[in-house]
Amino acid sequence: MKNANVTITDVAKRAGVSTATVGRVVGGYGTVSGKTRDRVLAAIDQLGYAPNVVAQGLRSKRTKTIAVIIGSVSNSFFANMVNAIENEAAEYGYNVIICNTNEEPETERKHIKNLQGRMIDGIILSSACTAVSAEQLREFYSGDVPMVLVDRRVEGLELDVIESDNFAAGYKTTNYLLALGHRRIGVLGTGNYSTINDRIAGYQKALADRRIELVPRRVMTTIRRKNHYNDIEIDNYFLANRDVTAIMVLNNSLAEAVLLRLEKLKLYDDRTFSIVCWDDSSMNKLLGLTTVLQFPEEIGREAARRVIGKIEKRTLPGEGIGLVGTELKIRRSCKPL
Amino acid sequence: MKNANVTITDVAKRAGVSTATVGRVVGGYGTVSGKTRDRVLAAIDQLGYAPNVVAQGLRSKRTKTIAVIIGSVSNSFFANMVNAIENEAAEYGYNVIICNTNEEPETERKHIKNLQGRMIDGIILSSACTAVSAEQLREFYSGDVPMVLVDRRVEGLELDVIESDNFAAGYKTTNYLLALGHRRIGVLGTGNYSTINDRIAGYQKALADRRIELVPRRVMTTIRRKNHYNDIEIDNYFLANRDVTAIMVLNNSLAEAVLLRLEKLKLYDDRTFSIVCWDDSSMNKLLGLTTVLQFPEEIGREAARRVIGKIEKRTLPGEGIGLVGTELKIRRSCKPL
DNA sequence: CTGTTAGCGCATTCAT
DNA sequence: ATGAATGCGCTAACAG
């Protein structure tokens, strides 16, 4: 890549004007006569001048950069979200820096610390922390840099959040299974994030609506150890819950592990029960799995607009939606009882 | 996030030394007495000072940032690669900016143009361009900024490349099918990238080794229109190639489309032929698809080390491997004839 | 071993 | 409408 060696001074010399004037036409502020503008433009073109964003940043405190902090870009939900963020940001001339936390609060802390010195204009955060103490809060966020939360809420962080309507999703999915006649419905999820908790809350509400007893052992939310799942735990769940006739698997990554175990246990082949998954994939399509579709692209797009709006202190068109809907895509993995 | 408002000057005042001295202890260069170092360190700690990377960059021409230019982070191969790049870069204190080209050379051009002014230290590029004219080449790259290619080679760009050994993969996969007794083997792929071409070259070599005739109609490489596949084209392929007994699908994204069509056409269910896919996924595992595994993490890791090595003009441990091996994961989708 | 000084490229106030 | 001058926060000579 060519280096940005040609500076505003070179352009000024070439055009026979001062650097201030060049700055005016490049930055589009102040007033410049048509004639000099043309001359400057010509010089810029001839020299192939591109403004040095770093110098601009140092001077103006704006680096046209936003950071996205997520668990991992390998997660397809985040990948699609980041993709949308990047596309949207590019529209507005922003670059995006990605930071993987691997879902470790400590790594998240490090990234934020590192970002301190980078004069980032804004942050989009899907935090690995489920709750933040007052003290941490100060370290994490003191209001200088615009920040929006995505996908998950964080207790103690009063910030804009763009997230799926997880409660509604859990509620309508459970109702769908209930309508098919299922009464003993299992739930498997991972982590203590608001996403999972909201979905489970929706599930509970649906049961309560029909005065159906909630059996705690049917809800399991801790099946992970460092990015891979514990097969034994999954097996034990199914052994202890042979009575369930339907299950909801709240994570896309978990679904694969569960199905693999079910195949081993010869449970899924027997069509012993119905199953609903979260987040679509080629697997879900090919296997005909009924799936709750989220729209990470929409969440990403909106999050990008939201931060950029805050950065530029203006309202971007379409801004305002914090809750993004979901769709229950019915395929053939749920049967009436 | 807190802003990086406390500067080197504040620290200097606090510690009762000059800014130069602070710079020395922060930057770890020059010589500082133990006593003053302690005083500076204490001041830094008290003030919560973090160096302003933007100012550092402007001054030292090093922003500790590398850019990754890819088709899309939504592509799981790239997502895993980017993930590894970010992890590795973080180890060395670098941030990574992602740029999606959507596989459009024009968008790629725009990103590179934008990057010009950002004082990026290095670039990792998976180009949407299959060949670059000498003129374009000059615009793209003049050697000032270290750049390495990943996944794909670009004709006319004499740069380090980190890629899968696609030729070997195509060769061994074809030989595997030949060993099972297949003689009429179909190939479906997308794009004119070196990846696809190399795999096909391996296929051709394997056939030639056994003096088996190459039938052009069995090789199809143009089934895409703007990120989605043309079902009719896929159907036509299979109608025109009813005689093939095995197929190799060279793209992960294409595999899904192909399987979906096969399901519709009732071809796969009939076990009419054997199938090998590229790049693993939950679908491949659940469906028992024999798959050529690539290692995007390894490619990403190596690419990161390579650019950083070039940036810092030193050799990082383990550096040097440009060709990353693949693994033919045999499952149950290929049957002897 | 440490301080002084001079920019890096640009935006911006103050003159003119 | 335009130019001169200043400084953003830091590094790197150069002195001492």
Side-chain angles (χ1 to χ4, degrees):
Chain A
M1 196 182 77
K2 249 190 311 206
N3 225 330
N5 36 17
V6 32
T7 76
I8 207 170
T9 314
D10 300 326
V11 177
K13 259 182 212 142
R14 177 90 171 206
V17 297
S18 74
T19 60
T21 303
V22 178
R24 280 190 261 265
V25 356
V26 172
Y29 53 85
T31 45
V32 187
S33 79
K35 201 184 286 185
T36 41
R37 149 166 289 114
D38 287 346
R39 242 172 340 126
V40 171
L41 253 22
I44 287 175
D45 194 48
Q46 288 160 23
L47 269 40
Y49 167 77
N52 183 324
V53 182
V54 177
Q56 284 182 330
L58 181 59
R59 183 64 234 256
S60 67
K61 311 295 178 202
R62 287 279 179 78
T63 55
K64 284 283 201 172
T65 308
I66 64 186
V68 179
I69 304 176
I70 55 177
S72 156
V73 254
S74 290
N75 179 319
S76 68
F77 179 90
F78 287 139
N80 289 323
M81 190 184 80
V82 167
N83 201 50
I85 291 173
E86 200 280 329
N87 289 154
E88 193 69 15
E91 291 284 319
Y92 292 90
Y94 285 77
N95 274 116
V96 3
I97 284 179
I98 52 159
C99 303
N100 294 129
T101 66
N102 300 315
E103 303 296 2
E104 294 157 2
E106 189 46 39
T107 309
E108 181 171 326
R109 199 90 29 93
K110 272 189 203 153
H111 275 298
I112 293 195
K113 177 74 184 161
N114 167 269
L115 258 22
Q116 302 256 339
R118 292 209 163 239
M119 304 184 79
I120 298 297
D121 293 344
I123 295 183
I124 295 175
L125 170 67
S126 174
S127 183
C129 306
T130 53
V132 171
S133 75
E135 192 180 3
Q136 281 175 317
L137 202 155
R138 224 173 305 125
E139 188 191 341
F140 268 62
Y141 180 71
S142 74
D144 287 343
V145 177
M147 175 150 98
V148 310
L149 263 26
V150 279
D151 187 42
R152 309 164 183 169
R153 297 188 308 282
V154 178
E155 217 147 317
L157 271 189
E158 300 299 323
L159 296 169
D160 284 11
V161 188
I162 322 290
E163 59 182 335
S164 290
D165 192 343
N166 290 300
F167 178 86
Y171 186 71
K172 77 176 163 193
T173 302
T174 309
N175 274 330
Y176 167 70
L177 292 171
L178 289 169
L180 287 177
H182 296 278
R183 286 300 173 268
R184 299 187 299 277
I185 302 170
V187 178
L188 296 97
T190 303
N192 184 30
Y193 306 116
S194 66
T195 48
I196 299 298
N197 295 333
D198 289 356
R199 289 167 200 169
I200 293 174
Y203 161 82
Q204 293 173 329
K205 173 72 161 53
L207 293 188
D209 280 359
R210 307 218 188 185
R211 314 219 179 287
I212 295 172
E213 185 199 8
L214 180 80
V215 181
R217 72 168 151 78
R218 290 189 190 139
V219 179
M220 176 164 232
T221 60
T222 53
I223 337 185
R224 170 145 60 172
R225 201 165 43 190
K226 282 240 170 202
N227 284 321
H228 69 267
Y229 294 96
N230 188 331
D231 287 346
I232 296 172
E233 241 181 305
I234 297 176
D235 290 357
N236 286 342
Y237 173 87
F238 285 110
L239 294 176
N241 288 281
R242 288 194 167 281
D243 57 336
V244 307
T245 61
I247 58 167
M248 311 190 330
V249 185
L250 307 184
N251 304 92
N252 51 357
S253 53
L254 179 55
E256 180 190 329
V258 167
L259 288 174
L260 244 18
R261 293 318 298 166
L262 288 179
E263 203 180 38
K264 285 272 189 300
L265 298 174
K266 303 285 178 224
L267 281 175
Y268 188 60
D269 281 347
D270 293 345
R271 295 290 185 265
T272 314
F273 46 71
S274 295
I275 182 164
V276 181
C277 296
W278 249 255
D279 291 321
D280 217 5
S281 73
S282 54
M283 171 184 79
N284 294 23
K285 285 181 200 157
L286 262 299
L287 259 38
L289 298 175
T290 291
T291 304
V292 176
L293 309 184
Q294 292 193 85
F295 302 102
E297 304 82 4
E298 207 170 313
I299 292 177
R301 227 178 67 91
E302 179 58 24
R305 303 173 81 78
R306 192 70 67 96
V307 249
I308 292 173
K310 284 180 189 299
I311 292 167
E312 305 187 348
K313 298 194 199 315
R314 64 198 182 96
T315 306
L316 266 38
E319 201 184 297
I321 321 104
L323 267 194
V324 175
T326 60
E327 180 189 336
L328 180 62
K329 178 77 180 172
I330 294 173
R331 294 204 262 247
R332 50 180 204 271
S333 63
C334 298
K335 289 140 300 253
L337 206 61
Chain B
M1 194 183 82
K2 250 188 312 203
N3 224 332
N5 34 18
V6 32
T7 76
I8 206 170
T9 314
D10 300 327
V11 177
K13 258 181 212 141
R14 177 87 171 210
V17 296
S18 73
T19 60
T21 302
V22 178
R24 281 189 262 264
V25 357
V26 173
Y29 52 85
T31 45
V32 187
S33 78
K35 202 185 286 185
T36 41
R37 147 167 290 113
D38 287 346
R39 243 171 339 124
V40 171
L41 254 20
I44 287 175
D45 194 49
Q46 287 160 24
L47 268 38
Y49 166 78
N52 183 323
V53 182
V54 177
Q56 284 182 327
L58 181 60
R59 183 62 234 250
S60 67
K61 310 294 177 204
R62 287 282 178 77
T63 55
K64 284 282 200 175
T65 309
I66 64 186
V68 179
I69 305 176
I70 53 176
S72 156
V73 252
S74 291
N75 179 319
S76 68
F77 178 90
F78 287 139
N80 288 324
M81 190 184 79
V82 168
N83 200 51
I85 290 173
E86 201 280 330
N87 289 154
E88 192 70 16
E91 290 284 319
Y92 292 90
Y94 285 78
N95 275 115
V96 3
I97 284 179
I98 52 158
C99 303
N100 293 130
T101 66
N102 300 314
E103 302 297 2
E104 294 156 4
E106 189 46 39
T107 309
E108 181 170 324
R109 197 92 28 92
K110 273 189 202 150
H111 274 299
I112 293 193
K113 176 74 183 163
N114 165 271
L115 257 21
Q116 303 255 336
R118 293 210 162 238
M119 304 185 79
I120 299 297
D121 292 344
I123 295 183
I124 295 175
L125 170 67
S126 174
S127 183
C129 306
T130 51
V132 173
S133 74
E135 193 180 2
Q136 282 175 316
L137 202 155
R138 228 175 301 127
E139 186 189 343
F140 269 61
Y141 181 70
S142 74
D144 287 344
V145 177
M147 177 150 98
V148 310
L149 264 25
V150 277
D151 187 42
R152 309 164 183 169
R153 295 189 310 282
V154 178
E155 216 148 315
L157 272 190
E158 300 298 324
L159 297 169
D160 283 11
V161 188
I162 322 291
E163 59 183 335
S164 289
D165 192 342
N166 290 300
F167 177 85
Y171 185 71
K172 80 177 159 193
T173 303
T174 308
N175 274 331
Y176 168 69
L177 291 171
L178 289 169
L180 287 177
H182 296 278
R183 286 299 174 270
R184 297 186 301 275
I185 302 170
V187 178
L188 295 95
T190 303
N192 184 30
Y193 306 116
S194 67
T195 49
I196 300 298
N197 295 334
D198 288 356
R199 289 167 200 169
I200 293 175
Y203 161 83
Q204 293 173 329
K205 174 73 158 54
L207 293 187
D209 280 0
R210 305 218 191 184
R211 313 219 179 288
I212 295 172
E213 186 199 6
L214 179 81
V215 181
R217 72 168 151 79
R218 288 186 191 141
V219 180
M220 176 165 231
T221 59
T222 53
I223 337 185
R224 171 146 59 170
R225 202 165 43 189
K226 282 236 168 205
N227 285 321
H228 68 268
Y229 292 97
N230 187 332
D231 287 347
I232 296 172
E233 238 181 309
I234 298 176
D235 290 358
N236 286 342
Y237 174 87
F238 285 111
L239 294 176
N241 289 281
R242 287 192 168 282
D243 57 335
V244 307
T245 60
I247 57 167
M248 313 191 327
V249 185
L250 307 184
N251 304 92
N252 51 355
S253 53
L254 179 55
E256 179 190 329
V258 166
L259 288 174
L260 244 17
R261 293 317 298 166
L262 289 178
E263 204 180 38
K264 284 272 189 300
L265 298 174
K266 304 285 179 223
L267 282 174
Y268 188 59
D269 282 348
D270 293 345
R271 296 289 185 267
T272 314
F273 45 71
S274 295
I275 183 165
V276 182
C277 296
W278 248 255
D279 289 319
D280 218 5
S281 74
S282 55
M283 170 183 82
N284 293 23
K285 285 180 200 157
L286 262 299
L287 259 37
L289 297 174
T290 291
T291 303
V292 176
L293 309 184
Q294 291 193 83
F295 302 102
E297 305 81 5
E298 206 170 313
I299 292 176
R301 226 178 68 90
E302 178 59 24
R305 302 173 82 79
R306 192 71 66 96
V307 248
I308 292 173
K310 285 181 188 299
I311 292 167
E312 305 187 346
K313 299 197 198 313
R314 62 198 184 96
T315 305
L316 266 38
E319 200 184 299
I321 321 104
L323 266 195
V324 176
T326 61
E327 181 189 335
L328 179 62
K329 178 77 181 176
I330 294 172
R331 300 208 177 94
R332 47 179 205 271
S333 63
C334 297
K335 291 141 300 256
L337 205 61

